[in-house]
Amino acid sequence: MTQVQFNNALLGLRDKLHYYALSLTSDSERADDLLQETMLKALTYRDKFTQNTNFKAWIYTIMKNTFINDYRRNVKTRNTFDDSNNDFHLLFSKDKVYPAPDSFYSTKEINKSIDELEDEYRIPFTMFLDGYKYKEIAEELDLPLGTVKSRIFFTRKKLEKSLHEYAIN
């Protein structure tokens, strides 16, 4: 497909794409933005289009994926504001730990239960508790990522069973 044929095919789908964008966004301005971004991506990645395949499906997939990615990005950055007075939460330091009086005993018991685990479970779990990511643990211990995840999962289950009396109900 030549550049001219590609552009003509893209412009021929403009009205249908706009209608599809409206169905996704339910907002005329956002639909215009989505259409513009989709057409720009189609032109930018023209070389990725495979000859003798469904051009219309390719363009619609670009639009759908662009919409989904934008939606996910907006959900992550969305801020919720309310009228309540949250000054207490702003002044309260999250770095300080204020343990309950009975928690010292339970902390000892929890640490004892962790220490009693076999090394293959205890080491990845304590690394996870220390803030390591699964991938970092896998690299450090030279284990597959799935193995690390399953060992941490099973360690949690073992600890739940052995420490059921300390569970918060």
Side-chain angles (χ1 to χ4, degrees):
M1 180 180 282
T2 67
Q3 179 72 36
V4 173
Q5 291 172 326
F6 186 88
N7 291 348
N8 288 337
L10 185 59
L11 289 174
L13 290 174
R14 182 181 172 90
D15 292 337
K16 291 178 181 178
L17 283 170
H18 188 264
Y19 181 75
Y20 183 56
L22 275 171
S23 72
L24 291 172
T25 63
S26 302
D27 179 15
S28 181
E29 288 182 21
R30 288 179 51 213
D32 290 340
D33 291 343
L34 180 59
L35 176 63
Q36 181 179 0
E37 193 172 350
T38 300
M39 294 183 94
L40 178 64
K41 284 183 179 180
L43 291 170
T44 303
Y45 299 108
R46 177 183 174 270
D47 59 319
K48 304 288 186 209
F49 176 68
T50 307
Q51 285 285 25
N52 301 323
T53 59
N54 190 341
F55 180 77
K56 185 177 177 181
W58 186 70
I59 298 294
Y60 275 74
T61 302
I62 291 173
M63 181 173 277
K64 180 187 68 164
N65 289 341
T66 301
F67 173 76
I68 291 169
N69 291 338
D70 288 346
Y71 176 79
R72 288 179 179 157
R73 189 177 311 113
N74 289 336
V75 166
K76 285 183 181 178
T77 61
R78 184 176 296 147
N79 292 323
T80 305
F81 296 100
D82 60 16
D83 295 353
S84 65
N85 183 356
N86 289 323
D87 292 341
F88 170 76
H89 298 291
L90 294 174
L91 296 173
F92 186 75
S93 172
K94 291 180 174 67
D95 294 337
K96 296 182 181 175
V97 178
Y98 301 101
D102 61 341
S103 68
F104 292 110
Y105 177 71
S106 59
T107 303
K108 279 192 224 174
E109 291 298 315
I110 292 169
N111 287 333
K112 182 181 171 197
S113 294
I114 292 172
D115 290 340
E116 290 174 354
L117 294 168
E118 304 89 32
D119 283 350
E120 66 181 313
Y121 292 100
R122 182 181 46 78
I123 294 171
F125 187 73
T126 54
M127 289 177 74
F128 181 75
L129 290 178
D130 289 340
Y132 286 88
K133 305 278 188 242
Y134 289 126
K135 188 176 180 181
E136 295 170 334
I137 297 169
E139 290 171 358
E140 182 74 26
L141 300 177
D142 195 30
L143 293 170
L145 184 62
T147 302
V148 170
K149 288 180 179 181
S150 67
R151 286 184 182 175
I152 291 172
F153 173 80
F154 288 121
T155 302
R156 285 183 182 144
K157 293 298 176 191
K158 286 180 180 184
L159 289 173
E160 280 178 16
K161 284 182 183 175
S162 67
L163 299 168
H164 69 279
E165 63 199 59
Y166 298 106
I168 298 173
N169 295 327

